[in-house]
Amino acid sequence: MADVAREAGVSVATAGRALGNYGRVRDDLREQVQAAAERLGYSPNAVARSMRSGGTRSIGFVGADISNPYFATAMRGICDVAREQGYEPILANSDDRLEVERAAVSVLLDKQVEGIVVAPTSVTDVAHLERAMELGVPIVLLDRHIGALAADSVVIDNEAAAYEAVAHLLGLGHRRVGLLACVDPAEGPELAARTGTGRLTVRGAARPSIDRIRGYLAAVDDHRATSSAELIQYTPLSDAAQAQRRAEALLTQPQPPTAVFATDNVTTQGLFMAARRRGLAIPADVSLVGFDDLDWTTLVDPPLTVVAQSPLDMGRAAAVRLFERIKGDDRPAERIVLPTELVVRSSTAEHSHGVREHSG
Amino acid sequence: MADVAREAGVSVATAGRALGNYGRVRDDLREQVQAAAERLGYSPNAVARSMRSGGTRSIGFVGADISNPYFATAMRGICDVAREQGYEPILANSDDRLEVERAAVSVLLDKQVEGIVVAPTSVTDVAHLERAMELGVPIVLLDRHIGALAADSVVIDNEAAAYEAVAHLLGLGHRRVGLLACVDPAEGPELAARTGTGRLTVRGAARPSIDRIRGYLAAVDDHRATSSAELIQYTPLSDAAQAQRRAEALLTQPQPPTAVFATDNVTTQGLFMAARRRGLAIPADVSLVGFDDLDWTTLVDPPLTVVAQSPLDMGRAAAVRLFERIKGDDRPAERIVLPTELVVRSSTAEHSHGVREHSG
DNA sequence: TTGTAGGCGTTATCAG
DNA sequence: CTGATAACGCCTACAA
């Protein structure tokens, strides 16, 4: 910039004002400076600017895995909003591992990002997020709410969404509804018999998959349908092959469920593959409800009934709220709940009370 | 850091040496400083560090759309390599628009990224990329090679991959093979009759979709199969609905193709939907070969024969090469060609020479 | 081994 | 309205 100032015959201060669009500069001088800058191919150094002003015009996004369609689409929403605001997002994958998330947040903080959207791995271990907020870097939680943290969150009503899905199956006359849930073994959800009724309840933190189990159990309970641990299978990781094996176990037990609800897109895929591999007709032999309205669910035969959410809108909403915070909004933290929709297609049908046989 | 130095009773220089792991510090002083830093919750300011050292430990990635599985997966590969190197990626979507790409590159340059991976929108308009290289910021091209630019690129052999796919169909006895190609209208590919033979050739820059058309035409030519403009449909944008309409046009003409090749994952989806909507049996009525081995291609009925590439490996390779450049490697620019594989599944079968009828 | 001082490229403050 | 100058936080000569 010193060169530009010299070339234009003004001081660096004036050059700075002309190029940085601050302070007052006479019009002819401004043009002179801009011309000089053009000639010399000057472009501003954002690092120096950040150093001086404190603002980096960067935000961070920490998610489990950007190659997962949910996060990729959410990231798209975040990018769009960031760009409107003149900000750039820095991306970090946590692989759903707490220590990786911690390290990522720490690096982002060192890089002086002005805010962070994070899909948190843990719902209890939040010291790193608290530290960010103490440092004045706002945090917006995506996909998971953390009660213990005074941060905004953008979520869906997991329990209600699951309830609606399962109630749909029960409304079709199904009495034995299976559940294929994707839960981290570290979460350690425990099924426990509810005193008196013999029905089940679940213990564990407020996390999407566990809330979805809660919704399932509540629906089963309300409709006085069969409540049994044998109707529930967990699959530990985002691993479709593993999910498929669990689904097959579910479908091939002596008294198999006549309908199954899967709690996320990976288990949905595993469930669908398992049913097909076992030669079960959908929905004649089993009804299926999946989670997440991915393209492929309309491409398969039959098209799947699913619970739809909008990761694009969730990413957008998270970013919008983040920028409100960056601009100084200090209202109490809010839990922003976006809608879900049960999209009924052809994988669910009335329970036929006739005899059903398959190779299981 | 001044606070830490004071707290530890040393000079800022010593504190800096102790915390930044450079220079020599007596062990007891180092520990003293670290303890003080811990107590005060000090963490280094990466912006100031970058200002001083010139290195930001950031790289940029510019792709058309992160919510597209190809880019999301490539980004994952880039992230992984970056993290190993202690770098963070800054993400920008170009929406396949040149001016947006230009602006993104410019911002990344201002932010002093040390290198950029870009899936370029244009194969001819490269001034912004040249400028980056002149400024000493290495560029690695992903998915598209630009002959006029002395930058590394990570690509697949699009022409050979398409050739193999179409040859597979021709080897099954098909004579009328259709093509559904996703090309930007701005690219203006033109079909022209080759002098003498009456067969077709294509004009246009070296871009994935156009190279895939070249592969198609070469295969058709080599096998003396039917070469006709009526067997080729273009679909301008990454829009599955539009692709489906074009595919239907292709399938419902008076003398429809008995097999069709789609040049990318969106057209593959459109093609599959079109065939199903027209009630065509696959592969009895039409054989289908798609591009990109996405999960859903094995979930549908029948599982699709596709040309598989690995965006994860491509992203990784691009990042690896970028870091070699960042570390000073100045060998001539190289075109890194990753393998593709024709995955034969059940959507392709021998051409039945019997009569074929459908509602078209 | 430790301390002092200067500068990286901006922007903000102040005096002219 | 313009110019000189100081600071942002860190790193690196150089001197002690």
Side-chain angles (χ1 to χ4, degrees), chain A residues 11 14 17 24-26 29 51-52:
Chain A
S11 70
T14 303
R17 283 190 267 257
R24 319 209 144 277
V25 196
R26 229 170 49 216
L29 276 188
M51 168 94 162
R52 186 60 251 228

Side-chain angles (χ1 to χ4, degrees), chain B residues 65-322:
Chain B
D65 176 12
I66 188 64
S67 69
N68 175 313
Y70 176 86
F71 290 113
T73 310
M75 181 80 202
R76 173 70 213 218
I78 292 168
C79 280
D80 289 350
V81 173
R83 197 153 71 84
E84 283 164 21
Q85 301 280 339
Y87 280 65
E88 316 299 318
I90 300 179
L91 175 62
N93 294 116
S94 69
D95 281 328
D96 237 329
R97 284 164 53 201
L98 180 59
E99 72 272 22
V100 178
E101 177 184 309
R102 259 198 292 250
V105 168
S106 173
V107 171
L108 291 172
L109 255 22
D110 291 352
K111 293 210 173 185
Q112 312 286 112
V113 295
E114 297 182 38
I116 306 179
V117 175
V118 43
T121 290
S122 166
V123 110
T124 52
D125 202 326
V126 296
H128 55 304
L129 303 177
E130 270 165 355
R131 193 169 83 92
M133 296 178 70
E134 279 161 18
L135 291 170
V137 177
I139 298 284
V140 174
L141 270 15
L142 183 71
D143 194 39
R144 293 179 189 174
H145 180 76
I146 301 183
L149 190 73
D152 299 302
S153 57
V154 175
V155 295
I156 56 172
D157 188 336
N158 288 294
E159 185 167 342
Y163 188 101
E164 185 184 3
V166 175
H168 165 67
L169 292 169
L170 295 168
L172 289 170
H174 295 276
R175 303 281 88 194
R176 294 181 65 80
V177 175
L179 176 72
L180 187 63
C182 175
V183 297
D184 185 334
E187 295 175 336
E190 289 169 52
L191 288 177
R194 195 176 301 166
T195 40
T197 66
R199 289 173 180 279
L200 294 170
T201 183
V202 65
R203 285 201 276 263
R207 294 191 45 167
S209 49
I210 296 191
D211 284 339
R212 291 173 196 167
I213 299 175
R214 289 202 173 87
Y216 162 86
L217 290 173
V220 164
D221 202 28
D222 286 356
H223 291 74
R224 314 247 174 279
T226 308
S227 182
S228 153
E230 276 147 34
L231 290 174
I232 303 180
Q233 279 281 349
Y234 303 117
T235 171
L237 286 169
S238 280
D239 173 350
Q242 169 81 319
Q244 180 180 344
R245 260 172 273 133
R246 301 293 181 162
E248 289 191 37
L250 198 56
L251 294 172
T252 56
Q253 54 188 300
Q255 265 200 78
T258 64
V260 183
F261 170 55
T263 63
D264 74 309
N265 63 59
V266 178
T267 48
T268 300
Q269 187 177 324
L271 177 59
F272 179 78
M273 294 193 302
R276 250 228 327 241
R277 205 158 96 83
R278 286 290 158 179
L280 298 176
I282 305 168
D285 293 333
V286 241
S287 284
L288 259 44
V289 179
F291 214 101
D292 281 1
D293 191 18
L294 301 188
D295 271 0
W296 70 264
T297 61
T298 66
L299 260 25
V300 295
D301 187 27
L304 262 41
T305 295
V306 294
V307 176
Q309 60 177 331
S310 171
L312 187 71
D313 289 335
M314 292 178 77
R316 268 208 203 104
V320 164
R321 181 27 80 77
L322 189 67

